[in-house]
Amino acid sequence: MSIDDGTEIITTVDESTPLDPRLADPAWGQGPLGRPRSRVLVPLVLLNAVAAVWYIGWLLEPSRVGNPWLYGILIAAESFNLIQAAGFWWTVHRQKLRESVPWIGPMPSVDVLVPTYNEPVGIVEPVLAAIARLHGGPATMWLLDDGDRVEMSTLAAKYGANYLAREGNEGAKAGNINHALPYCDGEFVLILDCDHVPHPDFLTETLGHFGDEKIAFVQTPQHYANAETNPIAAASWSQQALFFGAIARGKDRSGAMFCCGTNVVFRRTALDDVGGFPTNSVTEDFQLSIKMHERGWRSAYVAQVLAQGLGPEDMASYTSQQLRWARGCLTAVPAVLSSRLPWRLRAQYLFSAMYFLTGWTVLAYMIFPIVRILSGEQPLAAATADKFLIHFAPYFALALLTVAVAGGGRYTFAAYTQAAATFWIHVAASIKTALRLPGRFVVTPKEGAGSWQPRAVWPSLVMIVVLSACAVYGLIRVRDAAMVNNVAFAALHVVVLSAGVSTALSWRKRR
Amino acid sequence: MATLTTADLPPATPSGPSTKRLFGEQIGVTAGQLAAGLGNFAFSLLGVHLLRPAGFAQLATFLALYLLLHLPMTSLAAGAALDPYRTVRLRTVMAVAGSVGALALIALSGPVADLLGLTRALVIVLAFALPEAGLTALARGRLYGIGRRKWAIVTLVAEPVVRLILGGWLIVTVGSVGAAIAVVAAGYAALVIAVLAGRTPASWSPGADAAPPPSRSRRIDTSLTVGVFLLLAIMQTQDLVMANRLLEPLEAARFAAVSTIGATAVFASAQIPLVLLPRAKRGQRSATLVATAVAAALGAGAVLVVAVIPTAVIRTVLGPEYVGIRPLLVGYLAAMALLGAGRVVAAAGCATKRAAGVLITVAVATVVQAVVILTGPATAASVAHATLAATGVLTVGTLAVVTPQWTALRSRWSRRSRARALLQPIPLLVIGATVVGLVIRSIATRSIWLDEAISITEVKMSFGDMLHQLAIADVHPPLYFMLLWGVVHGTGSTAELVVRAPSIVIGTAMIPLMYTIGKDIFDRRAGAIAAVLTAIAPIAVWYSQEARMYSMFMLFALLAAWAQVRVLRTGSKKAWFAFTVVAALWMYTQYFAFIPLLVQFLAFFALAVRRGKVNGWKLVGTAVLAGVGVAILLLPLLPYLHTQLSAYASNGAGLTSVPGQAGQGASKSANGIGVYGLLANVIWAVWGYHADATMVAITALWPMLILGALAILGRGRTREESVLGATALLPMLMLFLIGFRKSNLFELRYFIGSVPLLILLMSRGITRLGRTALAPVIATCVLVSTMGVGLLDEQINSSNPRVYDFRGALREMESKARPGDQLIYAPDYLTDEVAYYAPNVEASMLSTNDIPVLKANQHVFVLGSFLDEKNTSAQVGSALSALRRNGTQVDEITRPNVKIWEFTK
């Protein structure tokens, strides 16, 4: 890895590195998230707008219509992407980087809740150990064990934490937290997933922001400490870095930062005001934020890595996590639309929720070359590639550049391919949501990475086979420039999908 | 850069002799050698005067054979100078071997005499020289080895003295055989003196001759040194031998004359390496510098003398039929100067444990010389050029071998096991890439292109006329033309390979330079990949084979980028100075250097913003100072530029009527320049020029660019990558935008400086591809193989729209044309092309001359090219129909993009 001034950062792990990456040093602070770059982003966003008008305007000319069905799909896909992109540009063009605010007066009481279900002791123990070392006043530690396990009870006792278990596990994580709230009496509640190790300064860096009486919660980033050692966690972190960097800072500026479920401090009165965590969703945090914002509470975002967790270590974990997020966010769309939120907030929630429809556009783009190769039909007519390129290339290049600049270079090719290769998750989640098929809360696995998991990526594998077969068939049939161009598109998708699924097809045992 | 540690250097000798003394030694020995040469010359004159012509011819042949016999023995002298203790043992071996050889020659004297055209008596006398030749060389070499240089001088001078005294008497009494006896006797006299002078004095420790016993590696080094000098002797003589066999008698005689004069120059410096060897062995590096300086001075002096010698002198001394060799003399003398210098460097290498590398280099040079002579045209000029090329390889190669950085690298290797060294073959890879690159670039098969023909016409003028012509009728700055002028006037030739040689050399030099720069800016792997890619990069190869300034443009672009990185890293005055000078040289090469230079200066300012106030202003200040420096260096160019601009303003259309480059079709869309044009230029930059159909298919692969854009996401970038990227891409984009206004300016040649930078960046990108070695290896293989295929298609496929085979068409036409035949051609700008390939045919432009009326027995040839231009095709069309009315078409010569119709009455 390297930073802008050319300094090489050595990322090799030597023998003195602790075994648990969450305890390693370098990821704390703002470093992993980059800095707001409004001076560059504002002109870039303006250029993007011009390029978008230039491209879409050209695309909408009546003479562009080739096969009307395909054209319709293309316009729908491009429109969706443009809306998403516009939302992104709007969000990131101005960002809020909160200064550290000290807590005035004696430190308030804080309850630290650590919900757990089936995670092993080795995962949870460093979290409790770190909570015990938190600076900034009395923090009461609660280990909320939905697994009702003796070893967790022992662990809690070891670190002086209160241990709570309940009958059944209704409402999953949200139900678990709600169950604990009546036992707690602190002014603030810190929620930490049981794999997120907090920095000693967690409370001193966040509590100060509650000086504003209307602040309901202060969210901090969710960093994956295993990103250095695991490629799937690395790609996931890279996606997270874009969100917890530019996007979250931008949302904070719009007052629209939502709760992400962990590494977040709540004002107890705000939680009580909305009746605790909603239990009717798999993304309780998203719904909770909507409710709080609806009731006039505000949110804050501290763009500092103050806790280190573990990202998904294998493809099965990643797809299960993404599926849960997609289901949860898409389920929340009606709630957003029917909410009494100001339009700005509503738009921000919609942009975030509808991101999980992006997979449809990926699917559409993959289908175009297949249809063209097999039937000769294509969405656009009467356009030379030269004309298409002169309109499309600036739009695409600027959009990509904006992502790179906004993400401070942290959004990687691997992050893109991993997201693109799980396009089918968005498709499946939206179908299930539309048909109201039942979903269930699956805990993101924290340990035990499997490296040979073709089943976790089978839809992408099928797509790779179909695209490759079409490409070969097309080249056998005709080899003119138009065919070569479509085969190149097919090849582009094959490479992207293959790169995305490659981590699920490794014979070597990871870690 | 390899780090040089003190352990890597030869042991220093603080008490080594002063430079003055070293110069004294070398000049003394050289004076002795020159005196000997003069003595031998006097002896020859004596023979001329005292012998009958037939007798003198016999003596001359005898002397040539005697020389041929002694020349390889200098290798023994070199061995003895390096390892004088070994001569004692070798003396016996050589005496026995020489005696056996002599007896054999005496036994076979009859047939040998018939074979050589000598009298039997002379062959027998020559046989007696056999034992002496080796022994004298050994004894004289030993004198150098043990530091008795004065006695060595005595032996050198004694030989002609004895020849003259004894010869004067014997020639008169016995004739040519007597003269020969005097020659051999003089050799023995020198041997006796050398042996006596080289005896171990009684005061020395007992058994000094036997001890110290040489180590195995020293023995090997000595043997290799003998091999090196043997090969050098072969190099010195094989051109003459081959010329005698391959050339027509007159050409052979001309070359013999050139060779004889050249041999004088190389004879003068023959003893220098022998003096140097023992000193260099003791690590006295100043001795090497002094020896090189003396050899170079002798060589340069000889070149200078020949350069200024009036033609009348040559006519008087050699005869009128030899006046034609004048243009060859400078080149051949330069070759001999290089041989003299190369021999010294080789000796230094042999003395400092680099004999193996030197041996390989000399062997390569020798083979190059033989191959070029055997494959080139059967002319004296071609043979002379072969020797020039070979001695160039020798000098550059030996210099590379003895350069301390390489030694440091090698010694670092030697600490590791041989297997480890083999597993880390990066320097070998780079050397291999350079050799492959040179070979590829030397196989320049395509015909001289229009612009090249213009270059040739211009540099054939006198220096002043050329500059004037460039100022009033060209649009380029003069640096490249000055270099080409030097080469053309130095060699006296405008052969294709000669005029392209500067580009070939520069293009080849870029390969190791890419390694050095890639290694310095990024790392060794990136450097090595860059070197390999440059060796086969189609565009780098294409312009390394063109007698235009674009190879130089690439070189300076690379150097300027390197200098800028050094400036940003160190901020040193040296780096700023280098940047300023390179920037100015770049501007003297091509005005379009202005655009990347502008980007580079803007990069300084952009980076200054990020450096904070103090450092930022310092950077800005120094950059402004550098800009002023460049401007000052460019001042001499101003009047020249002014003249060019005035000429351009008054007859601009005339200047731009020559097509920028053929085959731009693939880069143009229907309405002028477009994104496809940009893509085509990017593809050309990496994969070379191809047929239009191929280009359309390749550009259709543009979705792969999306992949490329995605692939660089999140790779991060260093300051170096950003600066190189900006310098490579922004000029391209700027010219693309300018191209919308003036489409002929968007042309790869004008941003060709981007090519080496893109290669560097691609190499860097490859090394950063993945966590394992697999991805970089695959990427390198993909790039090398696709570029290789691109290179082959570009160089071989005749449907490449940039291939115009004027040579093929005009040569075929010229072979048919008889006196009185006429050639008419269109468009007008083929004038230089026609003058180059068909200088003996009466030719005229179609546009300014009437179509000739065919006469009986007269043939008229119509040359047409660029027939896609309306005017040209109309001119050619009307000429053809007029001639068809007037006569009959008898033949048609069709070559890529060139056509000739032949008519007769």
Side-chain angles (χ1 to χ4, degrees), chain B residues 36-70:
Chain B
L38 280 174
N40 290 337
F41 183 63
F43 178 74
S44 295
L45 286 180
L46 201 67
V48 170
H49 286 285
L50 298 180
L51 290 171
R52 287 187 193 145
F56 178 70
Q58 288 279 310
L59 177 63
T61 312
F62 175 86
L63 282 172
L65 287 168
Y66 183 83
L67 190 67
L68 213 59
L69 188 67
H70 279 74

mmCIF file of all heavy atoms in Angstrom, chain B residues 36-70:
data_model
loop_
_atom_site.group_PDB
_atom_site.id
_atom_site.type_symbol
_atom_site.label_atom_id
_atom_site.label_comp_id
_atom_site.label_asym_id
_atom_site.label_seq_id
_atom_site.Cartn_x
_atom_site.Cartn_y
_atom_site.Cartn_z
ATOM 1 N N ALA B 36 59.625 2.514 -34.498
ATOM 2 C CA ALA B 36 59.751 1.209 -35.154
ATOM 3 C C ALA B 36 58.992 1.222 -36.471
ATOM 4 O O ALA B 36 59.482 0.710 -37.490
ATOM 5 C CB ALA B 36 59.217 0.118 -34.228
ATOM 6 N N GLY B 37 57.785 1.823 -36.431
ATOM 7 C CA GLY B 37 56.978 1.893 -37.647
ATOM 8 C C GLY B 37 57.695 2.665 -38.735
ATOM 9 O O GLY B 37 57.727 2.235 -39.898
ATOM 10 N N LEU B 38 58.257 3.796 -38.326
ATOM 11 C CA LEU B 38 58.988 4.602 -39.304
ATOM 12 C C LEU B 38 60.163 3.829 -39.875
ATOM 13 O O LEU B 38 60.454 3.879 -41.073
ATOM 14 C CB LEU B 38 59.485 5.892 -38.642
ATOM 15 C CG LEU B 38 58.438 6.997 -38.500
ATOM 16 C CD1 LEU B 38 59.013 8.160 -37.703
ATOM 17 C CD2 LEU B 38 58.007 7.473 -39.896
ATOM 18 N N GLY B 39 60.872 3.108 -38.984
ATOM 19 C CA GLY B 39 62.016 2.299 -39.419
ATOM 20 C C GLY B 39 61.584 1.271 -40.441
ATOM 21 O O GLY B 39 62.234 1.077 -41.483
ATOM 22 N N ASN B 40 60.449 0.609 -40.143
ATOM 23 C CA ASN B 40 59.971 -0.411 -41.076
ATOM 24 C C ASN B 40 59.578 0.216 -42.402
ATOM 25 O O ASN B 40 59.788 -0.369 -43.464
ATOM 26 C CB ASN B 40 58.776 -1.159 -40.468
ATOM 27 C CG ASN B 40 59.222 -2.027 -39.307
ATOM 28 O OD1 ASN B 40 60.401 -2.408 -39.228
ATOM 29 N ND2 ASN B 40 58.312 -2.315 -38.398
ATOM 30 N N PHE B 41 58.993 1.439 -42.322
ATOM 31 C CA PHE B 41 58.610 2.148 -43.531
ATOM 32 C C PHE B 41 59.861 2.465 -44.363
ATOM 33 O O PHE B 41 59.888 2.280 -45.579
ATOM 34 C CB PHE B 41 57.866 3.437 -43.149
ATOM 35 C CG PHE B 41 57.377 4.210 -44.318
ATOM 36 C CD1 PHE B 41 56.418 3.674 -45.189
ATOM 37 C CD2 PHE B 41 57.858 5.501 -44.589
ATOM 38 C CE1 PHE B 41 55.960 4.410 -46.274
ATOM 39 C CE2 PHE B 41 57.395 6.221 -45.673
ATOM 40 C CZ PHE B 41 56.443 5.684 -46.519
ATOM 41 N N ALA B 42 60.906 2.903 -43.638
ATOM 42 C CA ALA B 42 62.177 3.214 -44.318
ATOM 43 C C ALA B 42 62.742 1.962 -44.977
ATOM 44 O O ALA B 42 63.273 2.003 -46.106
ATOM 45 C CB ALA B 42 63.175 3.772 -43.304
ATOM 46 N N PHE B 43 62.596 0.835 -44.278
ATOM 47 C CA PHE B 43 63.098 -0.434 -44.836
ATOM 48 C C PHE B 43 62.355 -0.761 -46.132
ATOM 49 O O PHE B 43 62.964 -1.190 -47.112
ATOM 50 C CB PHE B 43 62.910 -1.556 -43.799
ATOM 51 C CG PHE B 43 63.348 -2.887 -44.300
ATOM 52 C CD1 PHE B 43 64.705 -3.209 -44.425
ATOM 53 C CD2 PHE B 43 62.421 -3.865 -44.653
ATOM 54 C CE1 PHE B 43 65.108 -4.445 -44.880
ATOM 55 C CE2 PHE B 43 62.812 -5.105 -45.112
ATOM 56 C CZ PHE B 43 64.163 -5.395 -45.223
ATOM 57 N N SER B 44 61.024 -0.510 -46.119
ATOM 58 C CA SER B 44 60.229 -0.775 -47.323
ATOM 59 C C SER B 44 60.690 0.129 -48.470
ATOM 60 O O SER B 44 60.802 -0.315 -49.622
ATOM 61 C CB SER B 44 58.744 -0.534 -47.042
ATOM 62 O OG SER B 44 58.303 -1.461 -46.108
ATOM 63 N N LEU B 45 60.920 1.391 -48.117
ATOM 64 C CA LEU B 45 61.397 2.320 -49.153
ATOM 65 C C LEU B 45 62.733 1.853 -49.733
ATOM 66 O O LEU B 45 62.967 1.932 -50.939
ATOM 67 C CB LEU B 45 61.541 3.728 -48.563
ATOM 68 C CG LEU B 45 60.241 4.484 -48.307
ATOM 69 C CD1 LEU B 45 60.542 5.859 -47.722
ATOM 70 C CD2 LEU B 45 59.454 4.640 -49.617
ATOM 71 N N LEU B 46 63.588 1.354 -48.809
ATOM 72 C CA LEU B 46 64.884 0.820 -49.242
ATOM 73 C C LEU B 46 64.666 -0.287 -50.266
ATOM 74 O O LEU B 46 65.315 -0.357 -51.314
ATOM 75 C CB LEU B 46 65.628 0.277 -48.011
ATOM 76 C CG LEU B 46 67.135 0.127 -48.118
ATOM 77 C CD1 LEU B 46 67.810 1.493 -48.235
ATOM 78 C CD2 LEU B 46 67.672 -0.613 -46.887
ATOM 79 N N GLY B 47 63.696 -1.169 -49.936
ATOM 80 C CA GLY B 47 63.370 -2.274 -50.838
ATOM 81 C C GLY B 47 62.896 -1.764 -52.184
ATOM 82 O O GLY B 47 63.308 -2.265 -53.233
ATOM 83 N N VAL B 48 62.059 -0.736 -52.142
ATOM 84 C CA VAL B 48 61.520 -0.183 -53.391
ATOM 85 C C VAL B 48 62.656 0.301 -54.278
ATOM 86 O O VAL B 48 62.670 0.065 -55.493
ATOM 87 C CB VAL B 48 60.552 0.978 -53.090
ATOM 88 C CG1 VAL B 48 60.171 1.715 -54.370
ATOM 89 C CG2 VAL B 48 59.304 0.462 -52.400
ATOM 90 N N HIS B 49 63.587 0.958 -53.619
ATOM 91 C CA HIS B 49 64.670 1.550 -54.404
ATOM 92 C C HIS B 49 65.702 0.531 -54.869
ATOM 93 O O HIS B 49 66.250 0.641 -55.946
ATOM 94 C CB HIS B 49 65.352 2.652 -53.584
ATOM 95 C CG HIS B 49 64.501 3.884 -53.505
ATOM 96 N ND1 HIS B 49 64.345 4.744 -54.562
ATOM 97 C CD2 HIS B 49 63.733 4.385 -52.507
ATOM 98 C CE1 HIS B 49 63.528 5.718 -54.234
ATOM 99 N NE2 HIS B 49 63.141 5.517 -52.960
ATOM 100 N N LEU B 50 65.980 -0.452 -54.024
ATOM 101 C CA LEU B 50 67.087 -1.347 -54.342
ATOM 102 C C LEU B 50 66.666 -2.612 -55.078
ATOM 103 O O LEU B 50 67.476 -3.266 -55.717
ATOM 104 C CB LEU B 50 67.840 -1.731 -53.065
ATOM 105 C CG LEU B 50 68.503 -0.557 -52.318
ATOM 106 C CD1 LEU B 50 69.214 -1.068 -51.062
ATOM 107 C CD2 LEU B 50 69.518 0.144 -53.222
ATOM 108 N N LEU B 51 65.383 -2.957 -54.968
ATOM 109 C CA LEU B 51 64.942 -4.202 -55.610
ATOM 110 C C LEU B 51 64.206 -3.900 -56.897
ATOM 111 O O LEU B 51 63.634 -2.826 -57.064
ATOM 112 C CB LEU B 51 64.002 -4.976 -54.671
ATOM 113 C CG LEU B 51 64.638 -5.586 -53.435
ATOM 114 C CD1 LEU B 51 63.539 -6.128 -52.506
ATOM 115 C CD2 LEU B 51 65.577 -6.721 -53.822
ATOM 116 N N ARG B 52 64.197 -4.924 -57.770
ATOM 117 C CA ARG B 52 63.372 -4.786 -58.961
ATOM 118 C C ARG B 52 61.915 -4.938 -58.545
ATOM 119 O O ARG B 52 61.633 -5.542 -57.493
ATOM 120 C CB ARG B 52 63.735 -5.903 -59.947
ATOM 121 C CG ARG B 52 65.074 -5.637 -60.587
ATOM 122 C CD ARG B 52 65.328 -6.655 -61.685
ATOM 123 N NE ARG B 52 66.711 -6.597 -62.069
ATOM 124 C CZ ARG B 52 67.408 -7.651 -62.441
ATOM 125 N NH1 ARG B 52 66.842 -8.841 -62.428
ATOM 126 N NH2 ARG B 52 68.660 -7.532 -62.815
ATOM 127 N N PRO B 53 60.984 -4.428 -59.392
ATOM 128 C CA PRO B 53 59.558 -4.499 -58.991
ATOM 129 C C PRO B 53 59.125 -5.910 -58.593
ATOM 130 O O PRO B 53 58.450 -6.093 -57.584
ATOM 131 C CB PRO B 53 58.828 -4.015 -60.237
ATOM 132 C CG PRO B 53 59.800 -3.126 -60.921
ATOM 133 C CD PRO B 53 61.163 -3.678 -60.637
ATOM 134 N N ALA B 54 59.532 -6.909 -59.362
ATOM 135 C CA ALA B 54 59.095 -8.272 -59.035
ATOM 136 C C ALA B 54 59.656 -8.680 -57.685
ATOM 137 O O ALA B 54 58.982 -9.313 -56.864
ATOM 138 C CB ALA B 54 59.567 -9.240 -60.120
ATOM 139 N N GLY B 55 60.906 -8.290 -57.450
ATOM 140 C CA GLY B 55 61.557 -8.625 -56.176
ATOM 141 C C GLY B 55 60.863 -7.927 -55.026
ATOM 142 O O GLY B 55 60.627 -8.515 -53.963
ATOM 143 N N PHE B 56 60.516 -6.664 -55.252
ATOM 144 C CA PHE B 56 59.854 -5.929 -54.163
ATOM 145 C C PHE B 56 58.477 -6.527 -53.872
ATOM 146 O O PHE B 56 58.060 -6.608 -52.717
ATOM 147 C CB PHE B 56 59.712 -4.443 -54.502
ATOM 148 C CG PHE B 56 58.987 -3.708 -53.411
ATOM 149 C CD1 PHE B 56 59.601 -3.512 -52.167
ATOM 150 C CD2 PHE B 56 57.688 -3.270 -53.586
ATOM 151 C CE1 PHE B 56 58.938 -2.862 -51.152
ATOM 152 C CE2 PHE B 56 57.011 -2.621 -52.563
ATOM 153 C CZ PHE B 56 57.644 -2.411 -51.336
ATOM 154 N N ALA B 57 57.786 -6.957 -54.969
ATOM 155 C CA ALA B 57 56.469 -7.580 -54.754
ATOM 156 C C ALA B 57 56.616 -8.807 -53.869
ATOM 157 O O ALA B 57 55.820 -9.050 -52.955
ATOM 158 C CB ALA B 57 55.856 -7.959 -56.087
ATOM 159 N N GLN B 58 57.695 -9.591 -54.120
ATOM 160 C CA GLN B 58 57.957 -10.769 -53.293
ATOM 161 C C GLN B 58 58.211 -10.357 -51.841
ATOM 162 O O GLN B 58 57.674 -10.958 -50.907
ATOM 163 C CB GLN B 58 59.196 -11.508 -53.836
ATOM 164 C CG GLN B 58 58.950 -12.235 -55.142
ATOM 165 C CD GLN B 58 58.283 -13.597 -54.948
ATOM 166 O OE1 GLN B 58 58.757 -14.378 -54.138
ATOM 167 N NE2 GLN B 58 57.204 -13.861 -55.641
ATOM 168 N N LEU B 59 59.018 -9.290 -51.698
ATOM 169 C CA LEU B 59 59.341 -8.837 -50.337
ATOM 170 C C LEU B 59 58.076 -8.335 -49.626
ATOM 171 O O LEU B 59 57.858 -8.627 -48.438
ATOM 172 C CB LEU B 59 60.393 -7.715 -50.395
ATOM 173 C CG LEU B 59 60.765 -7.105 -49.032
ATOM 174 C CD1 LEU B 59 61.411 -8.156 -48.122
ATOM 175 C CD2 LEU B 59 61.711 -5.917 -49.188
ATOM 176 N N ALA B 60 57.227 -7.598 -50.384
ATOM 177 C CA ALA B 60 56.010 -7.052 -49.766
ATOM 178 C C ALA B 60 55.116 -8.190 -49.282
ATOM 179 O O ALA B 60 54.559 -8.140 -48.178
ATOM 180 C CB ALA B 60 55.261 -6.177 -50.758
ATOM 181 N N THR B 61 54.978 -9.210 -50.113
ATOM 182 C CA THR B 61 54.159 -10.353 -49.698
ATOM 183 C C THR B 61 54.763 -11.014 -48.461
ATOM 184 O O THR B 61 54.048 -11.375 -47.513
ATOM 185 C CB THR B 61 54.063 -11.384 -50.848
ATOM 186 O OG1 THR B 61 53.730 -10.686 -52.038
ATOM 187 C CG2 THR B 61 53.034 -12.447 -50.546
ATOM 188 N N PHE B 62 56.083 -11.151 -48.487
ATOM 189 C CA PHE B 62 56.773 -11.762 -47.339
ATOM 190 C C PHE B 62 56.502 -10.941 -46.069
ATOM 191 O O PHE B 62 56.182 -11.493 -45.012
ATOM 192 C CB PHE B 62 58.282 -11.833 -47.613
ATOM 193 C CG PHE B 62 59.054 -12.342 -46.429
ATOM 194 C CD1 PHE B 62 59.222 -13.721 -46.209
ATOM 195 C CD2 PHE B 62 59.611 -11.452 -45.506
ATOM 196 C CE1 PHE B 62 59.915 -14.165 -45.101
ATOM 197 C CE2 PHE B 62 60.299 -11.908 -44.402
ATOM 198 C CZ PHE B 62 60.459 -13.276 -44.195
ATOM 199 N N LEU B 63 56.602 -9.628 -46.207
ATOM 200 C CA LEU B 63 56.390 -8.762 -45.041
ATOM 201 C C LEU B 63 54.957 -8.888 -44.515
ATOM 202 O O LEU B 63 54.721 -8.930 -43.310
ATOM 203 C CB LEU B 63 56.680 -7.296 -45.404
ATOM 204 C CG LEU B 63 58.150 -6.913 -45.472
ATOM 205 C CD1 LEU B 63 58.308 -5.500 -46.021
ATOM 206 C CD2 LEU B 63 58.822 -7.028 -44.106
ATOM 207 N N ALA B 64 54.000 -8.977 -45.476
ATOM 208 C CA ALA B 64 52.600 -9.109 -45.043
ATOM 209 C C ALA B 64 52.416 -10.404 -44.264
ATOM 210 O O ALA B 64 51.760 -10.430 -43.213
ATOM 211 C CB ALA B 64 51.691 -9.077 -46.256
ATOM 212 N N LEU B 65 53.057 -11.491 -44.786
ATOM 213 C CA LEU B 65 52.924 -12.775 -44.098
ATOM 214 C C LEU B 65 53.626 -12.738 -42.744
ATOM 215 O O LEU B 65 53.128 -13.292 -41.751
ATOM 216 C CB LEU B 65 53.519 -13.900 -44.968
ATOM 217 C CG LEU B 65 52.673 -14.269 -46.196
ATOM 218 C CD1 LEU B 65 53.472 -15.167 -47.134
ATOM 219 C CD2 LEU B 65 51.395 -14.992 -45.753
ATOM 220 N N TYR B 66 54.754 -12.075 -42.713
ATOM 221 C CA TYR B 66 55.519 -11.953 -41.468
ATOM 222 C C TYR B 66 54.680 -11.214 -40.408
ATOM 223 O O TYR B 66 54.600 -11.626 -39.251
ATOM 224 C CB TYR B 66 56.816 -11.187 -41.768
ATOM 225 C CG TYR B 66 57.749 -11.050 -40.579
ATOM 226 C CD1 TYR B 66 58.627 -12.102 -40.250
ATOM 227 C CD2 TYR B 66 57.772 -9.890 -39.828
ATOM 228 C CE1 TYR B 66 59.474 -11.974 -39.163
ATOM 229 C CE2 TYR B 66 58.612 -9.754 -38.743
ATOM 230 C CZ TYR B 66 59.473 -10.805 -38.410
ATOM 231 O OH TYR B 66 60.309 -10.673 -37.339
ATOM 232 N N LEU B 67 54.008 -10.168 -40.897
ATOM 233 C CA LEU B 67 53.145 -9.385 -40.000
ATOM 234 C C LEU B 67 51.970 -10.234 -39.516
ATOM 235 O O LEU B 67 51.619 -10.241 -38.325
ATOM 236 C CB LEU B 67 52.622 -8.151 -40.741
ATOM 237 C CG LEU B 67 51.901 -7.114 -39.892
ATOM 238 C CD1 LEU B 67 52.857 -6.444 -38.938
ATOM 239 C CD2 LEU B 67 51.234 -6.072 -40.787
ATOM 240 N N LEU B 68 51.401 -10.973 -40.460
ATOM 241 C CA LEU B 68 50.259 -11.832 -40.137
ATOM 242 C C LEU B 68 50.652 -12.885 -39.103
ATOM 243 O O LEU B 68 49.853 -13.247 -38.232
ATOM 244 C CB LEU B 68 49.786 -12.523 -41.425
ATOM 245 C CG LEU B 68 48.300 -12.796 -41.567
ATOM 246 C CD1 LEU B 68 47.514 -11.503 -41.478
ATOM 247 C CD2 LEU B 68 48.022 -13.494 -42.884
ATOM 248 N N LEU B 69 51.882 -13.315 -39.208
ATOM 249 C CA LEU B 69 52.399 -14.310 -38.259
ATOM 250 C C LEU B 69 52.578 -13.703 -36.871
ATOM 251 O O LEU B 69 52.311 -14.350 -35.850
ATOM 252 C CB LEU B 69 53.751 -14.809 -38.791
ATOM 253 C CG LEU B 69 54.418 -15.980 -38.079
ATOM 254 C CD1 LEU B 69 53.594 -17.239 -38.266
ATOM 255 C CD2 LEU B 69 55.818 -16.206 -38.658
ATOM 256 N N HIS B 70 53.028 -12.466 -36.837
ATOM 257 C CA HIS B 70 53.329 -11.838 -35.551
ATOM 258 C C HIS B 70 52.104 -11.243 -34.853
ATOM 259 O O HIS B 70 52.099 -11.145 -33.630
ATOM 260 C CB HIS B 70 54.394 -10.733 -35.742
ATOM 261 C CG HIS B 70 55.769 -11.279 -35.804
ATOM 262 N ND1 HIS B 70 56.251 -11.960 -36.904
ATOM 263 C CD2 HIS B 70 56.791 -11.286 -34.889
ATOM 264 C CE1 HIS B 70 57.494 -12.345 -36.696
ATOM 265 N NE2 HIS B 70 57.849 -11.952 -35.464
#
